[in-house]
Amino acid sequence: MDYEVKLEIFEGPLDLLLHLINKNEVDIFDIPIATITDQYLEYLDVMKSLNINVAGDFLVMASTLIHIKSKMLLPELKDEEEEDPREEITRPLLEYMLFREIAGELSEREVLDRDVFARKMSDYLQTQIEHEEPLMDVNLFQLMDAFKRIVDQRLPGVQLKLQIAKWSVKEKTELIISILRQKRDIFFSELFSEDRTISEFIVTFLALLEVIHIGLVKIFQPISEGEIRLLAYFDEDEG
Amino acid sequence: MNKQLKLIVEAFLFTADRPISVQDIHGWLPEETLSEIRKALEELRGEYDSMERSFALKEVASGYQFRTHSKYAPYVLRMLKTSPTRLSRAALETLAIVAYKQPVLRQEIERLRAVDVGGILKTLLEKDLIRIMGRKTFPGRPLIYGTTRKFLEVFDLKNLESLPKLKEIEGFGSDEGQSAQSLGERQQLVEIKGEEETASDEKETSEGNDHAPPSLR
């Protein structure tokens, strides 16, 4: 096949397909599947030859296209109910075009801090609300160290072994969120102030990891080696 | 008294660093009725418009806020010494899907975009444009995503209902086989919704879906 492949960066397989459909000036409701599939595969080859890592998403679409192409080659069953095999890509393409258009419309709006500006929170207020001291991120290992220190302090001589918990992680998660909803900002050790048994400590810790993971809580530590602090990362009426 | 109220409201607006709502103002001035406050806000808005200032009183995220007109953006950016808010096309597309399909799972977003969106979701979460609304209870406990108030503020939207309406996809929906299939999909959706763990805002949910043509469900 003799046609020019111009390399563009496509966000994904649907982008590439739309590009090919536009370039060939074909009707999206009547895609010449053989031509488009060949061009699509050729494009992937070019990407490979240029050592561009072809994402798995592109390969999934390639196999879908080949599958449709093979279905189209089968003698047509005279069944009116049978749907056009090409709908498997036409529908996603149409949906994708719709959201691409909406994305364009969103971008054309008067975007805050790009087109229009409003009063900013003053630096003075911001530092009051946040912290007096610069903060650094805390990693999992620091968090585990802090946890170990608290357990050593509060339950000396107890070995860290997982037991069947009286508390569920879900309950503790809800407890942490409700505390943070009121206080917004607490010390790491405060989390464990009500805990009595080692299993309770562990469940609280697991619940903390959960709320950090889903992004409801940020953990920080003042640079000058203070105690780790938890900041609520949701609005009072959310979460 | 009316003039007095208008000026008090103006003082609130002048000082606030976020859009303030009629309810917010009523909370600070319980002696004034909601309709009086609304009237004061509307009068102020009209006055600022007729004064042809460099800013206007805008209605965003269910509140009111002074915002500069877009033609002054290049100058304001010089003062702020920052680069303007920028979102990639991929991020905007993902955000559009979350906005219209919320409450939505990552899996559904990836089906619509046919690419992995993990990194983009993280960016959007960090920018506080989307939020985690909860988790599904079925295996894997996938997260449910929705947009934030900040999303409304950034994109100059009064509320979710003021998002541009989705157009019908031409060619689909008239076909009988097609509508039977989308009905099946809808039932599946209802089943999944029944299992939802969080009590998501029903109003938002139903109205969000109203934008979607039947063939999209």
Side-chain angles (χ1 to χ4, degrees), chain B residues 54-137:
Chain B
S54 60
F55 57 88
L57 186 56
K58 305 275 279 182
E59 223 183 323
V60 284
S62 310
Y64 289 78
Q65 186 177 42
F66 285 126
R67 290 188 167 193
T68 58
H69 290 304
S70 56
K71 70 179 191 193
Y72 303 104
Y75 305 101
V76 180
L77 283 167
R78 269 189 228 169
M79 178 192 77
L80 293 174
K81 294 194 181 80
T82 53
S83 51
T85 303
R86 278 245 162 268
L87 280 177
S88 68
R89 194 158 66 81
L92 274 170
E93 283 170 17
T94 306
L95 190 57
I97 293 171
V98 175
Y100 281 86
K101 295 278 184 172
Q102 61 185 308
V104 66
L105 300 179
R106 171 172 167 180
Q107 184 196 0
E108 168 72 354
I109 305 167
E110 291 184 340
R111 188 186 67 76
L112 286 163
R113 295 200 61 236
V115 289
D116 180 276
V117 295
I120 293 172
L121 288 179
K122 196 163 167 273
T123 309
L124 292 174
L125 280 170
E126 277 166 8
K127 289 186 186 289
D128 194 23
L129 292 170
I130 63 170
R131 66 193 172 101
I132 289 157
M133 298 172 79
R135 277 175 184 276
K136 294 280 186 190
T137 47

Side-chain angles (χ1 to χ4, degrees), chain A residues 174-186 216 232 234-239:
Chain A
E174 281 159 8
L175 186 68
I176 294 176
I177 289 174
S178 71
I179 293 171
L180 279 169
R181 182 172 289 138
Q182 288 165 13
K183 295 195 177 177
R184 311 306 291 171
D185 169 358
I186 60 170
L216 293 176
F234 50 87
D235 291 343
E236 275 160 69
D237 51 346
E238 286 172 16

Side-chain angles (χ1 to χ4, degrees), chain A residues 87 95 101 109 119 214, chain B residues 14 132 155 167 178 216:
Chain A
E87 264 194 20
E95 283 187 316
E101 200 185 309
R109 299 188 67 83
R119 175 172 298 261
I214 61 178
Chain B
F14 178 76
I132 289 157
F155 288 96
K167 284 190 206 119
Q178 206 52 60
L216 255 179

Side-chain angles (χ1 to χ4, degrees), chain A residues 15 29 57 87 91 94-96 98 100-102 105 109 111-113 115-117 119 210 214, chain B residues 14 16-17 67-68 70 85 89 93 112 114 132 135 154-156 164 166-167 170 172 178 215-216:
Chain A
D15 254 341
F29 292 102
D57 308 314
E87 264 194 20
R91 284 174 62 79
L94 287 169
E95 283 187 316
Y96 179 66
L98 192 68
R100 210 164 76 155
E101 200 185 309
I102 294 166
E105 282 180 34
R109 299 188 67 83
V111 176
L112 187 65
D113 289 343
D115 309 312
V116 296
F117 297 85
R119 175 172 298 261
E210 171 80 8
I214 61 178
Chain B
F14 178 76
D17 57 21
R67 290 188 167 193
T68 58
S70 56
T85 303
R89 194 158 66 81
E93 283 170 17
L112 286 163
I132 289 157
R135 277 175 184 276
V154 168
F155 288 96
D156 186 27
L166 281 187
K167 284 190 206 119
E170 355 159 8
F172 284 127
Q178 206 52 60
S215 55
L216 255 179

